[in-house]
Amino acid sequence: MARVHQWDGFAAIEGDMRAMVADPRWAQLSGPAKAQAVAARTVVTPDGGRWLFGAHARWYRQDPADGRWHLSPPPADQNLRAAAHVVQHTAMLVPSLVPDGPDFAFEGGSTQGFVGPDVPRDITERVRAILGSRRLPSPEDFPIKGAPFTSIFAGDVPSTVAAVWGTLMWCAYAPAFDGNEVLLSMFGEFLGRALPGDEWVRWLRPVGLGDLVALYAERIRADRPKAGLRLAALMANTADAILDDDRFRPRAEALVAMLEPALRRPDLDHAAARQGDPAVRRAWLDRCPPHLARAVVPETAPGEHFAHSVYDLIEALGYLSRRRSDPRAVAVALLAADVAALAPKAAPRLYPWLDPELRHLLHATLTDRGHPLRRFWPVDGDLPPALHPPDRGTAATLLGTAYATGLAWCRLCEVAVPPHGFVTASATVSRLTHQRDDRYPLTTLESS
């Protein structure tokens, strides 16, 4: 007997929207016509939730209190999805919700951390070749003058090294690395202090685009344009070298696209550099292609970046739906565990970026010590059994998304990142260390 497939309103509308945006005629429609087409495919669930599949090929849920739409993965419960129906949303949608076309072409890459699967050896060797391609120049010719690099490298290290390091950290989705990762150990001789973390995990800070700009623009203002061009070339070459690792690829593609025009026309950023680093940063972001816009959201919209990170975390917990747990609720529980441990007073700054259900759950979990979602909080540095990922790849994805979410909310709330990781990400490490993938001999990351 043939199996009867259950109707899934969310899957049906997502498929319909993807086909519609992929149609060449989509680009020819006016903005209002596109908005009307999206609004005509509003999904309503029995609990009253209203959902749209819109910009960035992601789902949004409406807040009934003010009508705003929030990035929010749809429910995993199959019965709820089967009971969903489609209606025409009558209010005009804001343009930011409407797919423009290129945003649907964005390939998000991998959300895994760098604990578990190593960086492939061929990539590591490419970066090693770039780092040692020429004799290191003099620090006087390539000075490091500002944070964060002055707190990472010894005083006699030239900014060429910082350019390679900064590119790796900017491109990484979640810069939590195996303490034995050779991609880091090759920098050991240049470090001024031990990297944060321990022998198992190095919890590294992301580098901002402005930090890369500062290395480059300073040389232009110092009337050393060839040195600035060399730094830009090092960044572009490093980004190109790591493209084959999906944990780097989206941002690496964006960085190459932003730098290539300046490499073809060396004086392109000179006028902006004389105006200051922010002008150069704006020029770089303006050169980011539309289909890679989401890769630079951390730079352009910290609140939206936090919402995307929570979205990724919920998707990483998708394995829980088979265990009859709601990935949406559990993601909020883990977010609450991290916020409670580090900066509970920061929670109100996160609420505006969550849909009404998740906002309520976060507040309730933080304020009610007996809340049932607290059973998902890590205990004694390990995840509770109900949360144990089914395999190594899933564990690496949970670690990556948990760390990325922690970095995102810390940036949004201006909270210092903890040197030993966030509660959830740290607990996930225990699911990976017994299967450690050490392809290279251990090299200390502490300076001599």
Side-chain angles (χ1 to χ4, degrees):
M1 183 176 178
R3 182 177 177 182
V4 177
H5 291 283
Q6 191 176 41
W7 157 259
D8 184 332
F10 288 91
I13 290 301
E14 179 171 336
D16 188 36
M17 280 295 306
R18 287 186 181 277
M20 186 166 58
V21 175
D23 190 310
R25 292 172 293 182
W26 180 260
Q28 300 169 12
L29 293 177
S30 66
K34 291 179 180 178
Q36 184 178 16
V38 176
R41 290 160 176 81
T42 303
V43 176
V44 178
T45 48
D47 60 0
R50 298 173 72 86
W51 308 76
L52 290 173
F53 190 70
H56 303 297
R58 291 200 141 175
W59 284 94
Y60 298 77
R61 186 175 186 177
Q62 189 177 35
D63 188 336
D66 58 15
R68 290 179 60 208
W69 294 87
H70 300 268
L71 273 164
S72 190
D77 184 271
Q78 290 302 316
N79 292 327
L80 200 59
R81 294 171 71 96
H85 63 281
V86 181
V87 300
Q88 167 76 53
H89 183 69
T90 56
M92 179 59 67
L93 300 178
V94 296
S96 60
L97 283 172
V98 181
D100 57 14
D103 59 322
F104 265 44
F106 178 72
E107 296 181 5
S110 172
T111 56
Q112 290 184 336
F114 296 87
V115 182
D118 283 339
V119 176
R121 183 165 190 155
D122 58 339
I123 291 178
T124 299
E125 294 309 313
R126 284 178 221 155
V127 175
R128 189 194 301 277
I130 292 170
L131 191 61
S133 59
R134 302 180 187 177
R135 185 175 62 83
L136 287 177
S138 165
E140 286 73 28
D141 294 329
F142 289 86
I144 298 177
K145 292 191 173 182
F149 303 117
T150 50
S151 64
I152 298 172
F153 297 109
D156 59 349
V157 173
S159 60
T160 51
V161 173
V164 177
W165 173 273
T167 299
L168 295 174
M169 295 303 111
W170 189 80
C171 293
Y173 171 81
F177 286 84
D178 190 317
N180 198 26
E181 175 57 63
V182 71
L183 191 67
L184 302 186
S185 65
M186 71 176 69
F187 289 89
E189 64 181 291
F190 305 116
L191 299 176
R193 65 187 68 183
L195 296 173
D198 53 37
E199 64 174 302
W200 292 110
V201 183
R202 299 291 176 171
W203 303 105
L204 304 182
R205 313 294 192 274
V207 167
L209 189 66
D211 301 321
L212 297 179
V213 163
L215 295 175
Y216 164 75
E218 184 276 333
R219 290 290 78 194
I220 294 174
R221 288 193 295 271
D223 293 325
R224 299 294 302 275
K226 289 185 178 179
L229 190 65
R230 179 175 175 182
L231 290 171
L234 280 170
M235 296 172 196
N237 291 341
T238 303
D240 185 68
I242 58 181
L243 282 173
D244 289 341
D245 190 320
D246 280 350
R247 295 167 292 186
F248 290 117
R249 179 179 47 76
R251 295 178 189 172
E253 287 182 341
L255 187 59
V256 170
M258 290 187 286
L259 288 171
E260 279 186 338
L263 296 176
R264 292 194 301 266
R265 181 184 154 193
D267 64 346
L268 180 61
D269 292 324
H270 287 195
R274 288 190 286 272
Q275 297 174 40
D277 292 352
V280 179
R281 181 178 176 274
R282 284 194 299 273
W284 285 18
L285 289 171
D286 287 344
R287 297 199 292 259
C288 184
H291 72 282
L292 293 173
R294 206 177 100 201
V296 298
V297 164
E299 299 288 338
T300 59
E304 187 177 343
H305 173 53
F306 166 69
H308 276 292
S309 299
V310 173
Y311 200 115
D312 291 341
L313 178 59
I314 293 171
E315 291 191 328
L317 291 165
Y319 64 92
L320 295 178
S321 61
R322 297 187 293 273
R323 303 177 188 176
R324 299 185 182 278
S325 293
D326 180 5
R328 288 167 47 83
V330 176
V332 169
L334 297 178
L335 173 61
D338 288 349
V339 172
L342 184 60
K345 292 183 179 180
R349 298 185 65 177
L350 304 179
Y351 296 149
W353 299 100
L354 299 173
D355 76 39
E357 179 189 12
L358 299 186
R359 186 186 316 146
H360 168 75
L361 287 175
L362 178 59
H363 179 266
T365 308
L366 283 170
T367 57
D368 180 1
R369 293 188 177 184
H371 197 281
L373 281 177
R374 288 201 179 196
R375 73 183 186 277
F376 293 105
W377 284 18
V379 178
D380 297 329
D382 196 3
L383 299 174
L387 269 183
H388 286 179
D391 53 57
R392 189 178 189 219
T394 305
T397 301
L398 178 56
L399 183 144
T401 54
Y403 191 58
T405 300
L407 294 174
W409 73 256
C410 280
R411 180 174 184 171
L412 179 60
C413 299
E414 300 179 309
V415 171
V417 175
H420 298 289
F422 300 93
V423 170
T424 300
S426 298
T428 309
V429 173
S430 64
R431 300 291 96 203
L432 289 160
T433 52
H434 66 288
Q435 315 179 65
R436 190 170 184 176
D437 184 11
D438 289 346
R439 301 180 187 175
Y440 302 90
L442 181 64
T443 304
T444 181
L445 289 175
E446 297 188 15
S447 64
S448 57

